[in-house]
Amino acid sequence: MAEKRKLTDAHRLRKRAYSTTETPGTAGGDDRPGDPRGDRGREGYMGEQKDRMLAGDWYLPDDPELEADTARRLELCAAYNTTSPPVPEEQRTPLLKRLLGSVGEDVRIRAPFHCDFGYHISVGAGSFVNFGAVFLDPAPITIGAHVQIGPNVQLLTATHELDTERRRAGWEKAEPVTIGDNVWLGGGVIVCPGVTIGENTVVGAGAVVTRDLPAGVLAVGNPARIVRSLDG
């Protein structure tokens, strides 16, 4: 219920923002959108937002289709998070496969697990995700095979406007996160939007990964920095 109230409050804020005379994205000469409504009004405008999100463009998240996707995720996450062991794995795995876009063999994700939509998340065979993971997936999150993810790890694809007024109006976008095969992310690691971590790399507990990491290295700290190679 609290999450649904937050969605309603955000909807009201954005509705007020639409009534202003300033058009989002017209200043600065960057790739932020202008007002895509044209002469079609709010209804046609709202119908475009999921397509904009899927294309990696700036979008407004209170699209009816996205709200329906959120309701689906709430139901499936709640079901999965309340069917922890001793419920047999064969009963829990179908829920996980309905929630996520792709799930390999022998994947284990410990509850509680939280995501934005679920259908943008792909997890390779033999990977393990510990308690308290938060995967925000307006853009794809791709996790390779035999990846080890510690407790309370955050994989975040969503990003927001730096401009205050545009951020208040609700504009956001997302950039994919990719985790290679055999990666180990220690407890509490945060991976920021657009980051790729190469195979066999280890990221120390509590690190904040703001840039790509190559294969086969150990990285620690905030922001994460490479301290040595793991090859040989």
Side-chain angles (χ1 to χ4, degrees):
M1 291 298 294
E3 184 156 359
K4 290 183 178 179
R5 284 197 297 272
K6 289 179 182 177
L7 286 171
T8 302
D9 292 343
H11 180 85
R12 293 195 189 103
L13 175 61
R14 288 159 194 152
K15 188 172 182 179
R16 288 198 298 271
Y18 297 143
S19 66
T20 65
T21 57
E22 182 175 351
T23 300
T26 56
D30 54 22
D31 64 347
R32 298 181 182 91
D35 189 337
R37 286 174 291 181
D39 296 325
R40 291 168 294 172
R42 180 175 171 81
E43 183 174 351
Y45 173 67
M46 291 304 297
E48 296 180 354
Q49 298 309 303
K50 182 174 181 177
D51 288 341
R52 296 181 66 86
M53 182 192 80
L54 294 174
D57 295 332
W58 292 96
Y59 72 98
L60 293 162
D62 55 354
D63 180 279
E65 290 185 62
L66 293 177
E67 290 176 350
D69 290 346
T70 296
R72 166 192 170 276
R73 181 264 302 170
L74 285 169
E75 179 181 354
L76 289 173
C77 269
Y80 185 78
N81 288 334
T82 54
T83 55
S84 297
V87 175
E89 199 68 32
E90 58 268 22
Q91 295 181 27
R92 304 178 70 237
T93 299
L95 282 171
L96 196 61
K97 289 185 175 181
R98 287 177 59 197
L99 174 62
L100 304 185
S102 175
V103 179
E105 293 295 321
D106 300 320
V107 166
R108 291 181 297 150
I109 298 180
R110 287 181 167 177
F113 170 76
H114 301 284
C115 60
D116 251 345
F117 300 108
Y119 51 67
H120 267 152
I121 299 170
S122 173
V123 185
S127 289
F128 171 74
V129 180
N130 216 324
F131 303 109
V134 176
F135 294 177
L136 301 189
D137 64 313
I141 294 175
T142 304
I143 298 169
H146 304 289
V147 172
Q148 300 289 314
I149 295 180
N152 300 312
V153 166
Q154 300 178 44
L155 305 182
L156 312 176
T157 72
T159 186
H160 300 272
E161 284 277 10
L162 296 180
D163 178 85
T164 302
E165 292 304 315
R166 291 173 180 143
R167 189 168 63 250
R168 282 175 57 84
W171 291 104
E172 60 182 76
K173 68 187 299 188
E175 301 175 10
V177 165
T178 302
I179 311 297
D181 295 345
N182 307 310
V183 166
W184 174 21
L185 303 180
V189 165
I190 298 174
V191 180
C192 293
V195 165
T196 293
I197 298 177
E199 63 183 17
N200 304 320
T201 282
V202 175
V203 182
V208 178
V209 188
T210 61
R211 297 183 179 182
D212 292 354
L213 293 174
V217 299
L218 171 64
V220 300
N222 179 9
R225 67 192 189 282
I226 299 170
V227 293
R228 67 182 178 91
S229 172
L230 296 175
D231 293 337

